[in-house]
Amino acid sequence: MFEPVSPVRAYERVVEQIEEAVFTGRLRPGSRLPSERDLMTQFGVSRSTVREALRVLQSNGMIQSRAGDPRGPEVLPASPKNLRKSMSRLVRAESMSLAELLQFRMVLEGSAYLLAARLRTDAQLAEMEAAVRSMSDATGHAEFSDADVAFHDAVARATQNTLIVVCSNVVRGVVLDLIADRLAAAPDRQALMSAYLRHHSEVLQAIRDRDGELAARLARQALYDYYADWVPEPERDLLAALVTS
Amino acid sequence: MFEPVSPVRAYERVVEQIEEAVFTGRLRPGSRLPSERDLMTQFGVSRSTVREALRVLQSNGMIQSRAGDPRGPEVLPASPKNLRKSMSRLVRAESMSLAELLQFRMVLEGSAYLLAARLRTDAQLAEMEAAVRSMSDATGHAEFSDADVAFHDAVARATQNTLIVVCSNVVRGVVLDLIADRLAAAPDRQALMSAYLRHHSEVLQAIRDRDGELAARLARQALYDYYADWVPEPERDLLAALVTS
DNA sequence: GCGAGTCTACTGGTCAGACCAGCGTACTAG
DNA sequence: CTAGTACGCTGGTCTGACCAGTAGACTCGC
């Protein structure tokens, strides 16, 4: 029941103090940490200890080091990159069923499109329209998926909710991994792509009309239409129930 | 546009290979890594490099080392702890607002209660009823919150969707941290507790009746009623819009 | 035969000192 | 004023050393 006042490990103390400096704003993003050799004298520890502390901070996305840069390690602005990493780790580690993942996506992506439809600016709408146009003009898979990413990105910014976007994106990635082989073997990939495009156009129209409810329903419907075939029968009903709700 | 086949930094290669072994299941939770001295010969790098790699893995919550343990570093099971850490970090850096977190909770918890209402077994319903009874009988804060945990746990099991439950739990924890100090200063804590209990009873009734839609709406409404006061005016409307949808 | 204590061979944590390639800056040559 | 270069520092890696701590074997008294 005793919580040690200061961490036992030397490197943990270093991590903690630097973290504190960042959180309290004493170290702002873009500013530089002292060099490793300076830090070791400041904290009274060896360079290996300093380095281990810096590695931890780096793996947490708080700093970035470049070999040879005399200005020292850079303090990075907070970014959802790490959230994405730990989320992805968690999703990958728990062996979850496809149905579970799709349920999650239907719930979150529905809300994402709802928010995007209500909050989007005209500029963001224009970005989405351009992305969908690129998709329909695309000649190869690479172009198509690049445009797809651009579309999702524009939607993400419009929602103004990082958390919803990051979580659904991560799960989207895992789902794609999960069915990648089955998708590659699909005989009618061209048909899938054009169906995909059609769904996007419909959703885009709903976003244009600022009809959040419709956009949400379309997004859930699209997910169901795509993936239901890959979900075993008994679980499929669970997804169907979420389409309309 | 060139993606290096193998990371430039030596320690990154080590991290990647061990991560890979964990993800593919070659290294299961509970099993042990070779000692640092063994790893350095296996990977052909120095001990400092091995240690930096292990520090990264440790900070990602994948392994745990104890000084002196001859069995070597232990591979840990996946846990949402890290997810929560990176989320808290974003909140502290003010790149994520309370409104965002609550939006997320309204979306996910709504679905959680919807699923629980539809899928719950009679035994699970009994557990929930017992928990709510414990809450109303509770004399102290500790008892009350223990019973609350039990209730949420029963609901979580009923949903059959780990991901939804884990994510909303993590965010719930972050939100509680965020308003902990403000809550402690609240003059009418007793009133808050009884309002909390009332909401739970209502949701329980909906779950008993297997009315998923109602349970979801009540859950969202409860979140709004509780937290809206703490959300700055301009963002509050976003939450209100999600109550009924 | 069996538990209590001890011993030991390892572990991870930390330190010191060294070398290298890489980078920014200030100085230099044109 | 610009192009080029040399310098002094940086981070990345390595070697080798010492210490405190631990698990498991080993011993001893019963």
Side-chain angles (χ1 to χ4, degrees), chain B residues 82-135:
Chain B
N82 229 253
L83 188 60
R84 178 165 170 174
K85 214 174 67 182
S86 35
M87 216 176 278
S88 303
R89 231 190 284 277
L90 283 177
V91 172
R92 287 188 71 173
E94 286 172 3
S95 62
M96 214 160 67
S97 68
L98 179 60
E100 240 171 294
L101 295 172
L102 289 176
Q103 252 185 1
F104 189 87
R105 279 187 66 186
M106 287 174 74
V107 170
L108 271 197
E109 287 186 28
S111 310
Y113 283 102
L114 184 142
L115 290 172
R118 290 189 181 163
L119 302 174
R120 57 112 183 137
T121 63
D122 289 344
Q124 284 161 343
L125 178 63
E127 280 183 64
M128 298 177 204
E129 284 168 340
V132 170
R133 226 174 301 125
S134 301
M135 281 169 77

Side-chain angles (χ1 to χ4, degrees), chain B residues 18-58:
Chain B
I18 298 182
E19 266 183 348
E20 195 54 32
V22 172
F23 283 141
T24 60
R26 229 159 27 85
L27 243 37
R28 318 203 141 277
S31 64
R32 302 300 183 128
L33 251 49
S35 76
E36 295 180 356
R37 286 160 179 91
D38 285 348
L39 286 172
M40 72 185 250
T41 67
Q42 282 184 34
F43 287 107
V45 295
S46 73
R47 189 145 92 100
S48 1
T49 303
V50 168
R51 287 186 107 292
E52 290 181 24
L54 293 180
R55 279 281 103 84
V56 171
L57 293 169
Q58 186 172 1

Side-chain angles (χ1 to χ4, degrees), chain A residues 169-221:
Chain A
N169 275 351
V170 167
V171 177
R172 188 162 65 102
V174 173
V175 168
L176 287 181
D177 278 359
L178 210 57
I179 63 155
D181 46 348
R182 285 183 276 186
L183 188 70
D188 47 357
R189 252 187 112 167
Q190 199 61 42
L192 284 176
M193 263 170 62
S194 67
Y196 192 82
L197 184 58
R198 184 156 24 84
H199 275 127
H200 273 59
S201 311
E202 287 175 15
V203 171
L204 182 59
Q205 183 59 46
I207 293 178
R208 196 179 292 128
D209 299 340
R210 295 197 181 279
D211 189 341
E213 300 286 349
L214 178 61
R217 206 166 339 116
L218 287 174
R220 288 191 294 261
Q221 182 72 53

Side-chain angles (χ1 to χ4, degrees), chain B residues 110 113-114 117-118 202-203 205-207 209-221 243:
Chain B
Y113 283 102
L114 184 142
R118 290 189 181 163
E202 286 175 15
V203 170
Q205 183 59 47
I207 293 178
D209 298 341
R210 295 196 182 278
D211 189 342
E213 300 285 348
L214 178 61
R217 205 166 341 114
L218 287 172
R220 287 190 294 259
Q221 182 73 52
V243 170

